[in-house]
Amino acid sequence: MKTCSRVKMGSRLKLLLLTAGVCMSLTVGCGKSENKYTYRDAGIEALNAGDYESAIASFDEAINASNALVGAFDIDVLKYRAEAEYRAADYQAASDTYGILIQVDKERPEYLNMRCVSKAQTGDLSGALDDYKRAAELDTEKNAPGRAEAILAAGAALENQGASAEAMTLYESAQAEGIENAELYNRMGLCKFGEKDYETAITYFAQGLLKPDAASVPDLIYNQAVAYEYKGDFDKARELMEQYVAGNSSDEEAARELEFLKTR
């Protein structure tokens, strides 16, 4: 089954922190305050263009040019920086920056949600679950940014710890809240597959394929094919695996699986 995303770690730019109790300074001796907005704007432009490394560098320059204790400007820049780090797949850096935001701008569910997702990507499953639970406590309206992503990350962490029933409960609660996306149904299908309930797993994978973002989760087709194989419907499994391989020709595992299915 296809269950784990691949993580690529980039270089991490360190934020200068001077800590005294709960007060943190993000300053350096050089840098001019009049440049900070220019640096921030350049970072946003690079972020929107997909040049995440340049964006991170510009956001660092903006913070370095701020020459003040943490204020609204620095918090704004840190939010952009965390987003750039996450998009750059530098999940440890993103987790660290969301941690700084929590320290300087209090515990907010949106920060905890995204730190949960970032921690899950680094393999810190226990930390991801802790952040999800705390975010859920604070997010009484259940509408904080990043909630859907955090639910999926927390659920995957539970699955990896062997608690698939708890993960399924979490996914079902997300569904009840109106959270509907392809990956949610993929994960629900995987939980049912783990229980050897292949028929229900197939149903969930099929529902995921009907979602607008289905193209972003190609594993839905692969997983559905495998579920049909385990169910004993080799013709349908081969048909789906051929479909998957046609769009993912570099997946050697799937190619081998298809060759196997051709012999059944």
Side-chain angles (χ1 to χ4, degrees):
M1 304 297 285
K2 302 279 188 175
T3 61
C4 298
S5 60
R6 299 178 178 86
V7 176
K8 296 181 179 179
M9 299 301 293
S11 60
R12 182 154 65 96
L13 296 170
K14 294 182 178 179
L15 193 64
L16 299 176
L17 296 175
L18 298 174
T19 307
V22 296
C23 182
M24 306 185 78
S25 174
L26 293 129
T27 67
V28 292
C30 55
K32 299 178 180 179
S33 60
E34 64 263 32
N35 293 327
K36 66 182 185 179
Y37 296 104
T38 301
Y39 288 129
R40 184 187 63 180
D41 292 347
I44 294 171
E45 183 177 351
L47 175 62
N48 291 336
D51 186 356
Y52 305 127
E53 294 301 323
S54 294
I56 293 166
S58 292
F59 294 140
D60 278 343
E61 291 287 359
I63 291 170
N64 292 343
S66 186
N67 284 343
L69 291 176
V70 178
F73 175 84
D74 304 281
I75 290 169
D76 182 57
V77 173
L78 284 170
K79 291 177 186 178
Y80 281 118
R81 174 184 159 137
E83 181 182 350
E85 289 165 338
Y86 184 84
R87 290 192 188 182
D90 194 348
Y91 301 115
Q92 185 60 59
S95 175
D96 291 345
T97 302
Y98 282 116
I100 293 167
L101 281 164
I102 289 167
Q103 289 178 286
V104 302
D105 194 32
K106 78 179 185 179
E107 278 189 318
R108 297 182 185 274
E110 57 265 36
Y111 300 156
L112 288 160
N113 281 336
M114 290 310 300
R115 191 171 69 169
C116 163
V117 179
S118 300
K119 283 183 176 180
Q121 291 283 16
T122 69
D124 182 4
L125 304 183
S126 178
L129 284 170
D130 287 344
D131 278 351
Y132 168 75
K133 291 174 183 176
R134 181 56 179 156
E137 290 174 1
L138 296 172
D139 186 14
T140 56
E141 299 297 322
K142 302 184 184 303
N143 60 3
R147 176 168 172 77
E149 293 86 346
I151 286 174
L152 290 172
L158 286 168
E159 289 179 61
N160 287 329
Q161 292 179 351
S164 59
E166 292 179 47
M168 191 64 184
T169 298
L170 188 61
Y171 298 145
E172 288 172 342
S173 68
Q175 188 182 32
E177 289 176 24
I179 296 174
E180 297 268 336
N181 58 51
E183 183 57 28
L184 177 64
Y185 283 102
N186 185 44
R187 302 238 51 99
M188 294 174 81
L190 289 170
C191 285
K192 289 301 180 182
F193 184 94
E195 296 174 4
K196 299 183 180 181
D197 184 353
Y198 305 124
E199 191 66 49
T200 304
I202 288 168
T203 299
Y204 280 128
F205 294 140
Q207 286 180 279
L209 287 167
L210 295 175
K211 297 302 170 186
D213 62 335
S216 67
V217 191
D219 290 351
L220 279 164
I221 300 174
Y222 181 99
N223 291 340
Q224 191 179 42
V226 174
Y228 270 109
E229 177 187 345
Y230 274 70
K231 185 186 172 187
D233 188 340
F234 299 109
D235 289 340
K236 185 63 175 180
R238 183 175 63 253
E239 175 189 332
L240 289 166
M241 195 62 72
E242 287 174 342
Q243 181 182 344
Y244 175 82
V245 170
N248 300 272
S249 57
S250 63
D251 191 327
E252 296 179 359
E253 178 185 349
R256 288 193 296 270
E257 185 68 17
L258 177 57
E259 290 304 312
F260 167 75
L261 288 169
K262 288 179 178 178
T263 67
R264 299 308 298 262

Coordinates of all heavy atoms in Angstrom, one line a residue, residues 15-18 23-28 60 62-71 74-75 78 81 100 104:
L15 N 17.1 31.3 13.2 CA 16.6 32.6 13.7 C 17.4 33.0 14.9 O 17.6 32.1 15.8 CB 15.1 32.5 14.0 CG 14.4 33.8 14.2 CD1 14.4 34.6 12.9 CD2 12.9 33.5 14.7
L16 N 17.8 34.2 15.0 CA 18.6 34.7 16.2 C 17.6 34.9 17.3 O 16.7 35.7 17.2 CB 19.4 36.0 15.8 CG 20.4 35.9 14.7 CD1 21.0 37.2 14.4 CD2 21.5 34.9 15.1
L17 N 17.9 34.2 18.4 CA 17.0 34.4 19.6 C 17.8 34.7 20.8 O 18.8 34.0 21.1 CB 16.2 33.1 19.8 CG 15.2 32.6 18.7 CD1 14.6 31.3 19.1 CD2 14.1 33.6 18.6
L18 N 17.4 35.7 21.5 CA 17.9 36.0 22.8 C 16.8 35.9 23.8 O 15.9 36.7 23.8 CB 18.5 37.4 22.9 CG 19.7 37.7 21.9 CD1 20.0 39.2 21.9 CD2 20.9 36.8 22.2
C23 N 10.5 36.6 27.2 CA 10.7 37.7 26.3 C 11.8 37.3 25.3 O 12.9 36.8 25.8 CB 11.2 38.9 27.1 SG 11.5 40.4 26.0
M24 N 11.6 37.4 24.1 CA 12.6 37.0 23.0 C 12.9 38.2 22.1 O 12.0 38.9 21.7 CB 12.0 35.9 22.2 CG 11.5 34.7 23.1 SD 11.0 33.3 22.1 CE 12.5 32.7 21.6
S25 N 14.2 38.3 21.8 CA 14.6 39.4 20.9 C 15.1 38.8 19.6 O 15.8 37.8 19.6 CB 15.8 40.2 21.6 OG 16.3 41.1 20.7
L26 N 14.7 39.4 18.6 CA 15.1 39.0 17.2 C 15.9 40.1 16.5 O 15.5 40.6 15.5 CB 13.8 38.6 16.4 CG 13.0 37.4 16.9 CD1 11.6 37.8 17.1 CD2 13.2 36.3 16.0
T27 N 17.0 40.4 17.1 CA 17.8 41.6 16.6 C 19.2 41.2 16.2 O 19.8 40.2 16.7 CB 17.8 42.6 17.7 OG1 18.6 42.2 18.8 CG2 16.5 43.0 18.2
V28 N 19.8 42.0 15.4 CA 21.2 42.0 15.1 C 21.7 43.4 15.1 O 20.9 44.4 14.9 CB 21.5 41.3 13.8 CG1 21.2 39.8 13.8 CG2 20.8 42.0 12.7
D60 N 14.5 36.6 6.5 CA 15.5 36.7 7.5 C 16.1 38.1 7.5 O 16.3 38.7 8.6 CB 16.6 35.7 7.2 CG 16.3 34.3 7.8 OD1 15.4 34.2 8.6 OD2 17.0 33.4 7.4
A62 N 14.5 40.8 6.6 CA 13.5 41.7 7.1 C 13.5 41.7 8.7 O 13.5 42.7 9.3 CB 12.1 41.3 6.6
I63 N 13.7 40.5 9.2 CA 13.7 40.4 10.7 C 15.0 41.0 11.2 O 15.0 41.7 12.2 CB 13.7 38.9 11.1 CG1 12.3 38.3 10.8 CG2 14.0 38.7 12.6 CD1 12.1 36.8 11.0
N64 N 16.1 40.7 10.5 CA 17.4 41.3 11.0 C 17.4 42.8 10.9 O 18.1 43.5 11.7 CB 18.5 40.8 10.1 CG 18.8 39.3 10.3 OD1 18.4 38.7 11.3 ND2 19.5 38.7 9.4
A65 N 16.6 43.4 10.0 CA 16.6 44.8 9.8 C 15.6 45.5 10.7 O 15.5 46.7 10.8 CB 16.2 45.2 8.4
S66 N 14.8 44.7 11.5 CA 13.7 45.2 12.3 C 14.3 45.9 13.5 O 13.7 46.9 14.0 CB 12.8 44.1 12.7 OG 11.7 44.6 13.4
N67 N 15.4 45.4 14.1 CA 16.0 46.1 15.3 C 15.1 46.5 16.4 O 15.1 47.6 16.9 CB 16.8 47.4 14.8 CG 18.1 47.1 14.1 OD1 18.6 46.0 14.2 ND2 18.6 48.0 13.3
A68 N 14.2 45.5 16.8 CA 13.3 45.8 17.9 C 12.9 44.5 18.5 O 13.1 43.4 18.0 CB 12.1 46.6 17.3
L69 N 12.3 44.6 19.7 CA 11.7 43.4 20.3 C 10.6 43.0 19.4 O 10.1 43.7 18.6 CB 11.2 43.7 21.7 CG 12.3 44.0 22.8 CD1 11.6 44.4 24.1 CD2 13.2 42.8 23.0
V70 N 10.2 41.7 19.6 CA 9.2 41.1 18.7 C 7.9 42.0 18.7 O 7.4 42.2 19.8 CB 8.9 39.7 19.1 CG1 7.8 39.1 18.2 CG2 10.1 38.8 19.0
G71 N 7.5 42.4 17.5 CA 6.3 43.1 17.4 C 5.4 42.6 16.3 O 5.7 41.5 15.7
D74 N 7.4 41.6 13.0 CA 8.2 40.4 13.1 C 7.3 39.2 13.1 O 7.6 38.2 12.4 CB 9.0 40.4 14.4 CG 9.9 41.6 14.5 OD1 11.0 41.6 13.9 OD2 9.5 42.6 15.2
I75 N 6.2 39.2 13.8 CA 5.2 38.1 13.8 C 4.7 37.9 12.4 O 4.6 36.7 11.9 CB 4.1 38.4 14.8 CG1 4.6 38.3 16.2 CG2 3.0 37.4 14.6 CD1 3.7 38.8 17.2
L78 N 7.4 36.2 10.4 CA 7.6 34.8 10.8 C 6.5 33.9 10.2 O 6.8 32.8 9.9 CB 7.6 34.7 12.3 CG 8.9 35.2 13.0 CD1 8.7 35.3 14.5 CD2 10.1 34.3 12.7
R81 N 7.6 33.3 6.8 CA 8.8 32.5 6.7 C 8.4 31.0 7.0 O 8.9 30.1 6.3 CB 9.8 32.9 7.8 CG 11.0 32.0 8.0 CD 11.9 32.5 9.1 NE 12.7 31.4 9.5 CZ 13.9 31.5 9.8 NH1 14.5 32.6 9.7 NH2 14.6 30.4 10.2
I100 N 8.4 29.2 17.5 CA 8.7 30.6 17.9 C 7.5 31.4 17.9 O 7.3 32.2 18.9 CB 9.8 31.2 16.9 CG1 11.1 30.4 17.1 CG2 10.0 32.7 17.2 CD1 12.1 30.7 16.0
V104 N 6.1 33.7 21.0 CA 6.0 35.2 21.0 C 4.6 35.7 20.7 O 4.3 36.9 20.9 CB 7.0 35.7 19.9 CG1 8.4 35.3 20.3 CG2 6.6 35.3 18.5

